Amino acid sequence: MLQEQTHNVPNGDSSAPNTSTEQRLHIPKSILTANEKEFDDELQVTFGSLPKNIHGHVFIVGALPQPQEPGSQIYNGDGMIYRIDFGNTNDVITAKLKSRIAKTPCYYADKATQTEYYQKYQFRSYGLARVGKLGSRNQLNTGFLPMNGRLLVTFDAGRPYEIDPEKIELIQPVGSTSEWIGAFSSLQRSNSIFLTYFTPAHPAYDFENEAVFTVNYSTGLSRILPQWLRQIIKPSIKKDFFEGFTDLVRYRLNTGKPELERWRLFFENDDPVIIEQSLHQIAITRDYIVLADIAFPLEISQVVFNIVLKLVGLENLKYFPKDFKRWIYSIFVKLRKQQPFTNLYIVRRKDLEGDFSTDSEPRLPVNKVKKLLAKKVVIPREVSHFIADYDNKNDRITIHLAHNNAWDVTEWIRADDEPAPNNELRADLAGLVVGPMDVGFLGRYVIDGKSGALLKSRVVSDPDLTWSISLYTYRALESLGKIKNIYWLSWGFSMEIVPKRIFEAYQNYEYRGLPLENFNTPGKYYDKPVQLLRLNTELMEIEDRYSFEPGYFASSPQFVPCLEANSENVEGSTNGYIVCTVFSDNFNPLNSTDETDEIWIFDAQDLKKGAICKLGHKELNLKLTIHSTWLSNLKSPDNPESVENLRYQSVRDDYHEFVKKNFPELIDFLEQEVYKKYASQESVSPSEEKCSRIES
């Protein structure tokens, strides 16, 4: 039987709004800017000292700004991968930072089309996406997947890529273009080279069988376009594509030339599983795979409408009054509210070995597809990210998650937005994700894997601490069993980043935890600072926390285990450090600017005492970073020459035949501006032969 309990952490009077203007959250503008410089240099200690037992390599990824597209959504940008290396030289602990842009084939095409000669193919940023006549960008700016020494970098709208952890250089994508189904294939395939592939930014790694699990899916145009646009497009679109599909994909490593295996998800009544919002994450347990349809609703209408404006010469509506622009957006780009619940889909891993062929041919051309049964579980409230215990004894699946209540992270501040009633709006933060309209929750849920029944739930919420919760980290080795402690980052709350349209859309939120008066009391406000929290998952209590001062903003928390983390007298899940990026607009003595971006290190066993070490660099300028991971060692592939050949040949094989057939005028462009960027110093001559993929 489902039992839910909500616990509030005692922390003083949390219901009284703050009234001192000196205590405003004040989100620093530095989170919107970044240095595109790729560098390899030592970080300087600006506070405290580096702990002697910190080690390994922290990887962090973020999106670079698009300088020609001011106000574009903050996550729309080329992925910059940062690696912090902790070392010991002559008993001196050091920290070095190396950064490289994730340079996909479309990255090089984008750069080339910025020149006058290829200007007609130029890519432009429209809201969440960057598109052009050649297709859409795979920006690889979201997350990582460590795979026993190997590493993937990921993006929600593109294939994940394996990277060389040492060089921070792309090696190859997971699967070829012929093995993936584009999200808009009926529209893109004949007139685009670079397709959009909807796939989780958080795939899962099966460490026992050395395989990657991900998903290739489409929400279908019926779910992501406004009604007026559906009626225009529907007659020319195939019915199957219009409704969407969801395919579980397995990519086996170390098999010589791995191919993607796929299973199409259906329910017991033979209805297909269709993602309503976004399949941002999946997780695996010993016997099950869990897919989550989370609260990142796709706002494709924003992209399409801005493209239409550009085509008719009204780009950005810059020649019209703000009131007219707001009216236009209210008619053609209506806000798509996220669902106040979360759909989970559960499949049994042993069913992957069955031979359940589909009754008809696949809706879109793929080599092989099987039918796979899924159980649906509905959880009240929205979910941003989740983690599953690997252990599922007696078919009990335990899931830990964050509820991002009334927080629409696919919406951002626009230059022409109006402030919410009785509040101010930070127009200088145009492009930043909007703030939430309610306090969030942290939850633990137990599900019967066989039946899909929700057995138990327990949630914790605090009106001072649990705001804008999404990013997390924990001791990775706990994936072998049960997760005992999770470190969550709360981005706090301020009405300075809540536009009127967001306030109105979520003012009647059905799971409201705080009364609406807290958000719009005249002359008062309800700001809450950024918090780093440690949740004990067994007790479901926040046992430790650090509150950042107003004017500081943190992101990308990463657990780094101590060298002696296996000591018998130390609890392993807290024996380590939390490394994160921190932003402020304070004066930076290292570079004499008013932007201070740093790397802070916390003792994971004592967050409340604050950072024990802060690291900086005179050229360190980070845009808001996203996810992170940690590797104990760096290892490049064993055969560097084979990898160099693979880099060139895999990208050429991906596109050459299609380009030769559909874009013959661009053969030389792709050869010179894209393929050869992956060639070795000796250069690789074009070859029609397929190149084998990496073998360990």
Side-chain angles (χ1 to χ4, degrees), residues 74 98-99 126 131 222 234 279 365 381 423 457 579 595 663:
I74 194 169
K98 183 173 183 176
S99 65
Y126 300 100
V131 299
S222 63
K234 186 174 181 178
L279 209 163
R381 304 187 185 95
N423 282 278
S457 76
V579 177
E595 290 188 357
F663 298 89

Side-chain angles (χ1 to χ4, degrees), residues 12 37 76 85-86 117 173 180 202 242 291 313 356 375 386 392 449 536 634 647 653 662 670:
K37 172 184 172 63
N76 184 354
D85 304 318
F86 297 108
Y117 188 75
W180 284 83
H202 302 284
F242 194 76
L291 301 82
F356 303 104
K375 299 282 187 181
F386 75 101
N392 57 240
N536 182 317
L634 300 178
R647 277 168 44 81
D653 288 345
N662 297 279
L670 269 293

Side-chain angles (χ1 to χ4, degrees), residues 401-643:
L401 51 78
H403 288 296
N404 51 320
N405 294 9
W407 184 28
D408 196 336
V409 298
T410 61
E411 289 287 345
W412 63 96
I413 299 173
R414 301 174 187 156
D416 58 341
D417 266 328
E418 294 180 270
N422 303 315
N423 282 278
E424 298 177 356
L425 184 67
R426 290 279 301 279
D428 61 327
L429 295 178
L432 182 64
V433 171
V434 300
M437 274 296 295
D438 200 13
V439 66
F441 288 74
L442 296 173
R444 184 189 68 207
Y445 292 81
V446 180
I447 300 167
D448 187 318
K450 287 185 176 180
S451 67
L454 190 55
L455 303 176
K456 297 179 181 178
S457 76
R458 197 169 179 185
V459 295
V460 58
S461 177
D462 184 276
D464 274 341
L465 308 180
T466 55
W467 291 91
S468 311
I469 298 179
S470 181
L471 301 178
Y472 66 90
T473 187
Y474 63 98
R475 178 78 192 280
L477 286 180
E478 292 193 321
S479 62
L480 298 174
K482 292 185 176 296
I483 300 169
K484 298 180 181 179
N485 285 278
I486 303 175
Y487 297 83
W488 291 97
L489 191 63
S490 160
W491 276 350
F493 173 79
S494 172
M495 284 298 293
E496 292 181 317
I497 57 172
V498 179
K500 179 181 178 182
R501 58 190 172 87
I502 299 297
F503 180 88
E504 293 177 343
Y506 292 95
Q507 61 183 334
N508 296 320
Y509 178 68
E510 65 181 275
Y511 290 110
R512 178 158 297 285
L514 288 177
L516 197 63
E517 303 85 70
N518 287 43
F519 297 84
N520 67 335
T521 302
K524 298 180 180 180
Y525 51 86
Y526 194 78
D527 283 14
K528 298 299 175 185
V530 178
Q531 304 276 351
L532 179 59
L533 313 171
R534 177 172 63 81
L535 177 74
N536 182 317
T537 65
E538 295 176 336
L539 301 176
M540 283 304 292
E541 293 181 359
I542 297 174
E543 293 188 324
D544 193 10
R545 68 181 177 90
Y546 174 76
S547 178
F548 289 83
E549 295 181 4
Y552 287 84
F553 200 88
S555 193
S556 308
Q558 180 56 48
F559 187 94
V560 177
C562 292
L563 278 171
E564 67 272 19
N566 294 324
S567 174
E568 293 182 1
N569 62 347
V570 179
E571 212 286 288
S573 65
T574 61
N575 188 27
Y577 303 96
I578 304 298
V579 177
C580 62
T581 55
V582 178
F583 309 81
S584 76
D585 290 338
N586 296 332
F587 177 74
N588 186 346
L590 296 179
N591 60 10
S592 300
T593 69
D594 290 332
E595 290 188 357
T596 306
D597 298 341
E598 296 180 311
I599 309 297
W600 287 17
I601 302 173
F602 294 83
D603 182 345
Q605 294 181 329
D606 193 358
L607 301 179
K608 61 182 177 294
K609 72 180 178 184
I612 60 175
C613 181
K614 300 177 183 179
L615 302 169
H617 189 281
K618 64 181 180 180
E619 295 183 280
L620 184 61
N621 183 11
L622 309 171
K623 191 180 170 188
L624 182 61
T625 57
I626 315 179
H627 293 287
S628 59
T629 195
W630 176 82
L631 296 181
S632 59
N633 295 291
L634 300 178
K635 182 182 179 183
S636 291
D638 294 332
N639 191 338
E641 292 183 6
S642 175
V643 171

Side-chain angles (χ1 to χ4, degrees), residues 664-682:
E665 73 280 8
L666 291 177
I667 290 177
D668 185 63
F669 167 76
L670 269 293
E671 188 68 57
Q672 299 299 321
E673 303 294 343
V674 178
Y675 306 154
K676 284 193 174 180
K677 302 296 183 181
Y678 296 88
S680 63
Q681 293 293 328
E682 296 77 18

